[in-house]
Amino acid sequence: MHAAILISVLAFGAHADESAGNIADAAYKAQLRASPYVTAESCAVLDDPKQANLMDGLLFFLAKACGRQGEFIGQVESVDAGFLPPYLEPNTDLNVSNPAGDTGTTRTQSETSIERNPVTGTLCAAYNDSFHGVTQNVGFSGYSRSTDGGNTWVDRGAVSADDSGDPSLVWRRQDGKFYYAALRNGGLALFRSDDDCQSFVLVSQFATNNDDKEIMAIDNEPTSPFYGRIYIVWTDFGSGSRIYSIFSSDAGATWSAQLAISPSGESNQGAWPTIAPNGDVYVTWLKWLPPNGYPTGNIEIPIYRSTNGGVSYSVLTPAMTNKVNPREAAATSSCGRPAIKGNVRLLPSPQIVFRNGYLHTVYAYDPDGVNTGDVIDVFYRRYNPATSTWDAEVRINDDATTTDQYQPTISVGSAGQVTVGYYSRQLDPNNLQIDYYSRTSFNNGASWSQPSVRLSDASSAIVLDSSLATCYHGDYDQQLQDDNGRAHYLWSDDRGSTPDVYTDRTLVGTNYLLVPVTSSVAVCSPANADYTLNVNQFLGFSEPVTLSASGNPANSTVTFGTNPVAPGGSSSVTITTAGVAAGSSVIDISGLSSPGAVVQTTALGLSVSTAAPVAPVLNTPANNATVVPVRPTFAWAAAPQGVNYVLEVDNEPSFAPPLTYTATVTGTSHVPNSDLPSNTTLYWRVRSDNVCGTGPDAAAFTFTTVPLPGDCPIGAVANNVYSTDFEGDNSAWTLGAGSVGSSNWAISTARPHGGTNAFLAQDLAAASDQRLISPAIALPTGQDPLALIFWNDQTLEKNGTTGCYDGAILEISTDGGANFTQVPGVSALTDPYDGPISGSFQNPLAGLSAWCGDPQAYLRSVIDLTAFAGQTVQFRFRVGSDSSVGRTPHGWYIDDVAVQSCQSSVSDVIFADGFDPVVVVP
């Protein structure tokens, strides 16, 4: 069987036993899918196999948009050799992403990034999420939030509606906000969180030229001449595969010109930046060397440096050069690009961190030649800019096997704790199942005397996703060391038979660490801010530690209850706030041991308020606004010193409970997560609070929501002519004569809109005509608007952007079911038909306009029945599928069906109060 045809079948969920003709049909359909969002030049980039195979998130975007999924999307699942006995660690792995929120056939989370807000202690994790991207079609970037140091995580959903993943996350000290970079529409975009990783908004799109794998760094050193500057580096496939750099000095509002760092004509991918305290920017990436270049040439890890804030770069001595590009022969042949056993594609890109006077580097390569012994190991090396020299290379994985260790991450603590994380297959003699390991140096990477530690609690067999790029399991992860002496690791783990983001953490230290019990305090001036600071002890270290502070706000003082502190002890920290202006600060706490002069640092967050906030000023929806969406953007001006904002919406001006809607947010805008009542007059207000107290409510605004199709006008009431939620006796609904196929409409509990039941006609991978007929319903006269309203969920095979292969239609009968005619598209007041059903694959409904959301979550459909007033009607819900490729077990779900008319709330205004009394005149 031709490989492209096999991949197409996998990508569209066809059964393995389909006939060769059906497989050909599926391949043909895949070729017909195309998108208007890319140019011919963009699609032509896919014709260069070297460039295409180097791509990451950009490959998925172009393959879909250019109609070439069959060439680049698909997989062969790794063999599950059975789980080995678990090796338990003191900490329990946590799932950062919430698997309960993932439904459908694709739910891969991978390519992780993590950052911490030292003011609030919030941890924010970013990752690719194919459930959002493929199933929900709302962008590939997900994120999660922890407010308890990583003990628990909340999956916050998708970042945006149209990004393509490859996340990079940073926290910016200058404004205290998280920033999230991701692929978007073939280019690159920056998003910002104004509410401490609870939501993200688009800041700007800064590149638009077939760009891929962007990584970000921010200059968070207040003494740097470029403090606050955002740097992003990436691979631009619109100009070959050159590495580009860009920077912004105003939080992404404007950007510098894009600067090509790498020379033209090279094969490069996987750029990574870091920033030194003096503002120098270092960038590295993976380079395939001539004469062979990518994919068989040997590899190098170049190092470039900018000393002028990213305006220009100069080349330094490479961290590694002329090493064997790691790859296993069989997997590489199967994947069409360098890959390791189990058909996992491989990008051995480096990572760098500048800390404590050194540039720390990790990377991977084949240590003993192609198809000989070890395929890939992890290595560390450090660079001293003062002497322009590299120390000797260190092999990080200390196993005695020839199994794979790959995709390293690195972070460095202020006391010289260098932590490296990596995937390892050392527990599986078949070299297939993965675990996650870490290793730590406690002297700035000078030596690595401690052994590697297994972090994952269970080995897992890799599961590859047929909806993503061929052989894809993620190309990078990131880790973080916080101010509490913990290293946080993230990795993509398949123990639940689907890749999820898991995390674990280690406490790192050999002498002592400064660890706040509470890292952030909010106070109302003139109250003092009180903290407890533990001085954790390691390996019997006993030198007394003298504490000092810097960065505290003007007019404040910092005192320590015990100073110096013996390791293993603690001290109180008190910051006075009398006379301190309102605002947030990061206070740096340093420890100095004596006589060894070991320095450790941590940070304390301080938020000072001087009074309760005033009432916020409301902006939108404007007072007395009409035709307001049912999910409007509520916006208001920031209240001075406001921390939290309580939004209240109600249908009466007194705001008596229960409220129609309420939310507490930290930003100055909010979009409801559920629909407000349509065609309704509502009232809204906001109040703010902080540690000093709660401010007054803003004077309420009023607005009227948009009337939706099927709504009765103001002054009329809805008349429920007929309704069913399919929860009770459904015998009045019948399967129509003429149905064909291996299944028909049936009650399903898989995807109800409300309650537990919905009717479902599956989208079969064979020709079928499935018919469901309603009971007879007598329609009134003189009660317009008159409408059929139902909720429906569609997973039906689409044909490009304007047609259907499989589809659903609605028909109506006025003669007791003897004859049915299709309800015309103009009668669909919401969700019109998607397009005609193809006549190429024996669909019984060929040529008819139909619905074929692929997928479309539940939507309220409204059908105008005015033309049928006064008649008794029946409705026929009908699904037709063609001879190949379906969407089983899903298809067309319908639920909560109603026929509604509208009646005036006053029958006769002349006599509304009764007859006038008879007056007798004397």
Side-chain angles (χ1 to χ4, degrees):
M1 182 180 295
H2 194 277
I5 295 177
L6 173 60
I7 292 172
S8 179
V9 172
L10 290 172
F12 290 100
H15 297 293
D17 58 356
E18 282 189 316
S19 67
N22 291 343
I23 294 171
D25 291 347
Y28 174 66
K29 291 176 182 180
Q31 294 169 7
L32 294 181
R33 289 163 168 82
S35 169
Y37 302 114
V38 295
T39 65
E41 290 78 8
S42 297
C43 293
V45 176
L46 296 176
D47 294 327
D48 183 341
K50 290 186 177 181
Q51 291 204 59
N53 285 338
L54 279 169
M55 295 177 188
D56 181 24
L58 177 64
L59 180 64
F60 185 93
F61 174 83
L62 289 180
K64 288 284 189 181
C66 300
R68 299 175 65 176
Q69 303 97 310
E71 299 173 59
F72 301 102
I73 297 177
Q75 51 86 27
V76 177
E77 186 168 320
S78 302
V79 177
D80 186 345
F83 287 103
L84 298 176
Y87 180 93
L88 300 178
E89 289 291 318
N91 293 326
T92 300
D93 302 342
L94 296 176
N95 198 328
V96 172
S97 54
N98 180 12
D102 297 349
T103 59
T105 58
T106 178
R107 47 193 184 275
T108 294
Q109 283 91 30
S110 59
E111 297 190 352
T112 63
S113 185
I114 184 171
E115 267 289 358
R116 179 176 181 270
N117 181 345
V119 177
T120 63
T122 295
L123 287 168
C124 192
Y127 43 86
N128 286 341
D129 193 322
S130 69
F131 169 69
H132 299 318
V134 177
T135 304
Q136 294 183 312
N137 196 29
V138 292
F140 274 85
S141 295
Y143 68 108
S144 295
R145 182 174 189 255
S146 174
T147 58
D148 57 8
N151 291 323
T152 59
W153 290 86
V154 176
D155 189 330
R156 299 292 302 175
V159 167
S160 77
D162 56 0
D163 70 85
S164 302
D166 276 13
S168 179
L169 186 69
V170 295
W171 179 80
R172 188 168 182 258
R173 181 169 181 163
Q174 194 172 64
D175 57 14
K177 296 180 180 181
F178 289 102
Y179 287 81
Y180 195 128
L183 308 183
R184 183 173 184 264
N185 296 334
L188 305 172
L190 182 70
F191 302 85
R192 182 189 69 244
S193 176
D194 297 322
D195 53 12
D196 204 27
C197 191
Q198 296 185 73
S199 64
F200 283 85
V201 296
L202 176 65
V203 178
S204 58
Q205 176 138 356
F206 57 88
T208 56
N209 191 33
N210 290 341
D211 307 297
D212 197 33
K213 202 176 293 300
E214 83 305 328
I215 300 294
M216 177 167 44
I218 287 188
D219 192 332
N220 278 333
E221 178 54 57
T223 61
S224 166
F226 311 109
Y227 176 49
R229 184 167 288 187
I230 301 174
Y231 299 89
I232 301 179
V233 295
W234 72 94
T235 308
D236 184 343
F237 286 103
S239 60
S241 59
R242 299 185 71 178
I243 303 300
Y244 274 73
S245 173
I246 201 171
F247 65 82
S248 173
S249 301
D250 54 10
T254 61
W255 294 89
S256 67
Q258 298 178 22
L259 175 67
I261 304 177
S262 67
S264 61
E266 295 184 346
S267 299
N268 301 301
Q269 177 62 301
W272 206 274
T274 189
I275 303 170
N278 67 353
D280 286 357
V281 183
Y282 292 81
V283 180
T284 186
W285 58 86
L286 179 67
K287 173 183 175 181
W288 287 265
L289 295 173
N292 293 336
Y294 180 85
T296 60
N298 282 0
I299 56 176
E300 178 176 283
I301 306 299
I303 302 290
Y304 280 64
R305 178 174 62 192
S306 172
T307 59
N308 54 13
V311 175
S312 62
Y313 286 81
S314 58
V315 62
L316 303 179
T317 303
M320 173 272 282
T321 190
N322 202 30
K323 298 295 185 181
V324 174
N325 179 22
R327 59 199 187 276
E328 194 250 1
T332 298
S333 175
S334 177
C335 295
R337 60 184 292 169
I340 56 176
K341 189 176 181 181
N343 290 350
V344 179
R345 77 182 202 187
L346 187 66
L347 180 68
S349 56
Q351 293 188 16
I352 53 176
V353 175
F354 195 103
R355 195 77 187 267
N356 308 322
Y358 293 95
L359 179 69
H360 305 266
T361 312
V362 288
Y363 47 87
Y365 62 83
D366 186 333
D368 47 20
V370 178
N371 298 322
T372 301
D374 244 334
V375 169
I376 184 169
D377 283 328
V378 171
F379 298 89
Y380 164 88
R381 203 174 184 192
R382 73 175 188 179
Y383 177 77
N384 186 342
T387 59
S388 301
T389 57
W390 287 96
D391 290 348
E393 180 182 82
V394 177
R395 179 178 178 261
I396 292 298
N397 54 289
D398 52 3
D399 61 290
T401 73
T402 56
T403 59
D404 299 330
Q405 287 75 41
Y406 61 98
Q407 204 166 306
T409 67
I410 186 171
S411 64
V412 183
S414 60
Q417 316 98 306
V418 184
T419 53
V420 176
Y422 58 94
Y423 294 87
S424 177
R425 290 169 160 177
Q426 66 193 68
L427 298 183
D428 181 6
N430 294 309
N431 197 25
L432 282 172
Q433 296 189 82
I434 58 170
D435 277 279
Y436 204 76
Y437 278 74
S438 73
R439 193 173 182 187
T440 303
S441 166
F442 296 100
N443 55 7
N444 269 321
S447 62
W448 296 79
S449 58
Q450 300 297 314
S452 294
V453 177
R454 181 185 187 227
L455 298 181
S456 52
D457 298 333
S459 302
S460 63
I462 288 180
V463 177
L464 302 177
D465 194 326
S466 62
S467 296
L468 301 179
T470 303
C471 303
Y472 173 83
H473 194 258
D475 291 335
Y476 65 91
D477 293 294
Q478 297 182 52
Q479 59 161 286
L480 165 77
Q481 287 192 41
D482 64 22
D483 294 321
N484 298 330
R486 292 186 176 93
H488 300 261
Y489 306 84
L490 298 178
W491 68 93
S492 190
D493 190 297
D494 300 32
R495 70 187 68 178
S497 298
T498 177
D500 288 316
V501 174
Y502 274 79
T503 183
D504 207 341
R505 66 188 190 211
T506 58
L507 191 64
V508 290
T510 55
N511 36 63
Y512 73 96
L513 287 174
L514 306 181
V515 180
V517 174
T518 301
S519 59
S520 180
V521 170
V523 298
C524 183
S525 178
N528 293 334
D530 295 313
Y531 308 78
T532 298
L533 183 67
N534 290 334
V535 181
N536 288 355
Q537 181 187 47
F538 298 90
L539 302 180
F541 186 82
S542 59
E543 294 182 5
V545 176
T546 300
L547 304 173
S548 61
S550 61
N552 50 298
N555 299 323
S556 69
T557 60
V558 182
T559 58
F560 300 95
T562 301
N563 199 14
V565 184
S570 63
S571 177
S572 62
V573 183
T574 300
I575 304 176
T576 64
T577 65
V580 173
S584 297
S585 303
V586 177
I587 295 90
D588 294 315
I589 305 295
S590 295
L592 176 65
S593 73
S594 179
V598 176
V599 176
Q600 299 281 14
T601 63
T602 189
L604 302 176
L606 173 63
S607 296
V608 176
S609 300
T610 59
V614 300
V617 176
L618 305 186
N619 291 332
T620 58
N623 200 19
N624 298 312
T626 59
V627 197
V628 174
V630 292
R631 293 197 186 189
T633 298
F634 292 98
W636 54 91
Q641 302 192 49
V643 175
N644 300 304
Y645 295 90
V646 178
L647 166 68
E648 294 181 336
V649 183
D650 204 16
N651 60 356
E652 55 185 10
S654 64
F655 292 90
L659 298 173
T660 299
Y661 183 83
T662 185
T664 299
V665 299
T666 56
T668 56
S669 66
H670 178 70
V671 177
N673 54 20
S674 60
D675 290 349
L676 300 177
S678 60
N679 200 34
T680 303
T681 298
L682 298 171
Y683 303 84
W684 74 286
R685 66 186 184 186
V686 177
R687 62 179 174 271
S688 183
D689 64 38
N690 59 31
V691 69
C692 292
T694 300
D697 290 309
F701 277 13
T702 184
F703 64 94
T704 302
T705 50
V706 61
L708 298 180
D711 283 347
C712 293
I714 295 176
V717 294
N719 174 37
N720 183 19
V721 178
Y722 171 84
S723 65
T724 180
D725 57 7
F726 299 123
E727 299 300 316
D729 181 8
N730 299 307
S731 59
W733 287 74
T734 59
L735 303 181
S739 292
V740 297
S742 59
S743 68
N744 209 336
W745 286 92
I747 288 294
S748 169
T749 59
R751 288 187 184 176
H753 175 256
T756 59
N757 290 347
F759 256 113
L760 165 66
Q762 291 186 339
D763 182 10
L764 304 175
S768 73
D769 182 354
Q770 304 173 58
R771 308 176 180 189
L772 178 67
I773 300 177
S774 75
I777 303 168
L779 303 181
T781 59
Q783 296 184 17
D784 297 335
L786 178 63
L788 166 68
I789 302 171
F790 64 97
W791 289 85
N792 78 107
D793 178 296
Q794 304 166 20
T795 308
L796 301 163
E797 190 196 6
K798 203 172 181 67
N799 176 10
T801 59
T802 60
C804 309
Y805 286 116
D806 303 333
I809 66 172
L810 177 67
E811 298 174 319
I812 191 168
S813 172
T814 59
D815 57 6
N819 297 283
F820 282 88
T821 59
Q822 184 176 6
V823 171
V826 294
S827 295
L829 303 181
T830 64
D831 192 25
Y833 292 127
D834 294 298
I837 293 178
S838 170
S840 300
F841 301 96
Q842 297 81 52
N843 191 315
L845 305 185
L848 298 179
S849 293
W851 291 294
C852 54
D854 192 13
Q856 173 192 283
Y858 268 107
L859 188 91
R860 180 176 181 263
S861 292
V862 181
I863 307 297
D864 181 14
L865 299 178
T866 305
F868 300 95
Q871 302 183 67
T872 297
V873 300
Q874 288 179 278
F875 302 103
R876 185 161 70 180
F877 295 84
R878 195 171 171 189
V879 170
S881 60
D882 66 17
S883 58
S884 73
V885 184
R887 294 292 186 261
T888 53
H890 303 297
W892 197 27
Y893 296 83
I894 63 168
D895 199 0
D896 297 326
V897 178
V899 175
Q900 175 184 290
S901 64
C902 299
Q903 293 176 291
S904 173
S905 58
V906 178
S907 59
D908 193 328
V909 295
I910 297 176
F911 301 109
D913 297 321
F915 290 98
D916 289 337
V918 176
V919 179
V920 179
V921 179

